[in-house]
Amino acid sequence: MDRTLKNKLKNYLQNASNKTIAVIGDVMLDQYFIGNVMRISPEAPVPVVDITAESFHLGGAANVAQNLKSLGCNSILFGLLGDDINAERFIELCKEKDLNPDGLYKDANRITTIKSRIIGNGQQIVRMDSEITDSITKIAEDFIIKKLQSAEQLDAIIFEDYDKGTITKQLINRIILFAKANNIPTFVDPKFNNFSNYSGVTLFKPNKKETEAGLKIKLNSKESIIAAGNTIMKEYNISNVLITLGADGMILFEKDGITEISTIARKVADVSGAGDTTIATLTAMYVSGMSFAEASMVANVGAGIVCEKPGVVAIEQNDLIEGVKKYL
């Protein structure tokens, strides 16, 4: 990234404040029990955690929305909740974070997805997941489409898929048709079930594991990664593909060539949420005027910054500005 663009990052972030981005996908509640381990249970060879604190946080697609909000964008969250106490907690957290929850549908036949983690002496001991991953109902799908169509001045749509049932092939097709009819760019953070269902989106961002599973290949060399990116572009009719490779960086594929982006060496505390930060930062910077290559490099810096912090956290504007100055 050239010095001029570094100096203009604040302007791009200012532009982001005028953008509205829809995030559609699997929302979940993250619950943390934090405490101390002083002894082993007499009932089984497991630690006894004396709980000293409990907290709830927005997870899944909601973390992408939080990252967008931290970058200055207006984000509207679309997803599926149960009709339960955890849904109420989730909506209250949205309001606290100034996130628009109008696109959230409550299904009385589901439970709100919740991931509960027990942390003892700073170490995660166990995670417990409560969820229903059945596909979204037609009623819920119609609700999301209607809410999406009524949103004013959308600048981008992000699909954030965790294979929890919210995103289906039918929902994808309807949203892509809507987006194309209204000239709205679409960005995808895929999982496994719908990997091949995103034909025609603007940008597709799988990680290494998702690419290997989706294409049924092994990415064990630069040549295999390049072949995979070209395959996705050709077979899925996608013009821009960003394959993230963890410690090995990222490779951006565009019609006119590829851009390799190296990971910057830093102390990693927690990789949770790095993908959420990547797709949010990339989208926000692109709709604010950056090229895909520029936006990908900035997103790489943002993901690295959140990896330095424990837990799932959203990227902050000042941290991103300082990180870009330091690393780019």
Side-chain angles (χ1 to χ4, degrees), residues 268-283:
V268 175
D270 193 338
V271 299
S272 301
D276 298 341
T277 297
T278 299
I279 194 70
T281 307
L282 170 67
T283 305

Side-chain angles (χ1 to χ4, degrees), residues 172-312:
I172 292 168
N173 291 341
R174 293 178 71 180
I175 292 173
I176 291 175
L177 284 173
F178 165 75
K180 287 186 173 181
N182 292 277
N183 199 30
I184 302 170
T186 46
F187 297 75
V188 181
D189 198 356
K191 207 63 175 176
F192 305 116
N193 294 341
N194 292 301
F195 192 89
S196 62
N197 294 333
Y198 288 101
S199 176
V201 297
T202 306
L203 183 137
F204 191 69
K205 188 205 75 64
N207 62 27
K208 181 180 179 181
K209 183 178 180 181
E210 291 154 356
T211 303
E212 289 180 329
L215 298 182
K216 296 180 174 58
I217 60 172
K218 289 297 292 182
L219 301 184
N220 50 20
S221 67
K222 180 179 175 180
E223 290 74 20
S224 63
I225 296 167
I226 291 174
N230 289 329
T231 296
I232 294 171
M233 294 177 73
K234 181 179 179 180
E235 294 190 4
Y236 301 159
N237 185 31
I238 298 174
S239 299
N240 308 282
V241 176
L242 180 66
I243 299 180
T244 60
L245 303 166
D248 293 322
M250 309 173 175
I251 298 185
L252 173 68
F253 299 81
E254 300 177 271
K255 286 184 177 180
D256 57 355
I258 67 173
T259 303
E260 297 182 53
I261 303 166
S262 300
T263 295
I264 298 151
R266 48 167 53 97
K267 183 178 179 181
V268 175
D270 193 338
V271 299
S272 301
D276 298 341
T277 297
T278 299
I279 194 70
T281 307
L282 170 67
T283 305
M285 293 298 95
Y286 177 75
V287 300
S288 298
M290 283 189 184
S291 68
F292 279 121
E294 294 164 345
S296 297
M297 286 187 280
V298 173
N300 185 47
V301 172
I305 290 170
V306 300
C307 284
E308 293 177 329
K309 302 178 180 181
V312 176

